[in-house]
């Protein structure tokens, strides 16, 4: 599923909520459902918004987003609710399930640290492996 497909499943009130969360408009906007979907998709197509989003994440939130993007099981919590309010995650509360659109998953995995990079990370030190004093 792609973000634009997911947005088609949302009622207009939820689309307005996502739009207002992303754009923080000064006045109430009068867009059609299709225009709201286009605005939300356009927001997330901008690499600067992705960089800003990832930069704002705490280390805990980065780990959680990496786990979500890798299809790992996670408990639905307040952070996941916030991510869902941005249109990045689909929550099925009645079934205690969630789903992340594939294009969102790809954009996150491009920006979040790769598992291989984390495993290969070394402590700062000299070439002989000793740590500086």
């Amino acid at each position: 599923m792609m973000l634009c497909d997911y947005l088609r499943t949302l009622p207009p009130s939820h689309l307005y909520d996502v739009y207002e969360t992303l754009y923080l408009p000064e006045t109430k906007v009068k867009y059609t459902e299709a225009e709201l979907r286009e605005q939300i998709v356009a927001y997330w197509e901008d690499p600067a918004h992705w960089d800003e989003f990832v930069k704002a994440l705490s280390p805990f939130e980065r780990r959680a987003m990496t786990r979500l993007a890798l299809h790992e099981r996670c408990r639905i919590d307040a952070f996941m609710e916030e991510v869902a309010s941005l249109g990045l995650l689909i929550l099925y509360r009645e079934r205690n399930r969630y789903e992340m659109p594939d294009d969102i998953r790809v954009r996150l995995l491009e920006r979040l640290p790769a598992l291989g990079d984390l495993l290969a990370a070394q402590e700062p030190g000299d070439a002989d492996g000793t740590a500086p004093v």
Side-chain angles (χ1 to χ4, degrees):
M1 173 185 292
M2 303 297 274
L3 177 61
C4 59
D5 298 328
Y6 161 58
L7 294 174
R8 285 188 185 101
T9 67
L10 296 178
S13 61
H14 195 149
L15 287 172
Y16 276 109
D17 291 343
V18 171
Y19 175 85
E20 288 178 350
T21 300
L22 295 175
Y23 286 101
L24 303 170
E26 295 286 325
T27 60
K28 191 79 168 168
V29 295
K30 296 292 182 189
Y31 287 131
T32 66
E33 286 182 50
E35 290 170 330
L36 283 170
R37 285 192 296 269
E38 289 173 13
Q39 291 291 320
I40 294 167
V41 169
Y43 182 91
W44 288 119
E45 285 180 348
D46 183 351
H49 290 134
W50 281 105
D51 295 339
E52 181 182 329
F53 173 72
V54 170
K55 186 178 177 180
L57 295 173
S58 71
F60 166 78
E61 293 167 340
R62 284 176 188 248
R63 283 191 300 274
M65 291 305 296
T66 302
R67 291 182 66 204
L68 290 170
L70 293 173
H71 292 285
E72 290 186 22
R73 291 185 140 194
C74 298
R75 204 181 87 226
I76 295 178
D77 58 8
F79 175 66
M80 288 179 77
E81 296 279 348
E82 284 183 49
V83 173
S85 74
L86 297 173
L88 300 178
L89 195 64
I90 308 159
L91 294 180
Y92 302 102
R93 289 174 190 85
E94 66 280 351
R95 292 183 277 167
N96 200 27
R97 275 191 56 235
Y98 57 86
E99 185 177 350
M100 182 178 284
D102 292 331
D103 52 342
I104 300 299
R105 184 181 318 283
V106 168
R107 291 186 187 265
L108 279 171
L109 290 174
E110 289 172 349
R111 286 166 176 79
L112 292 169
L115 184 58
D117 294 342
L118 293 175
L119 294 175
Q122 296 180 359
E123 291 292 322
D126 294 334
D128 64 359
T130 59
V133 178

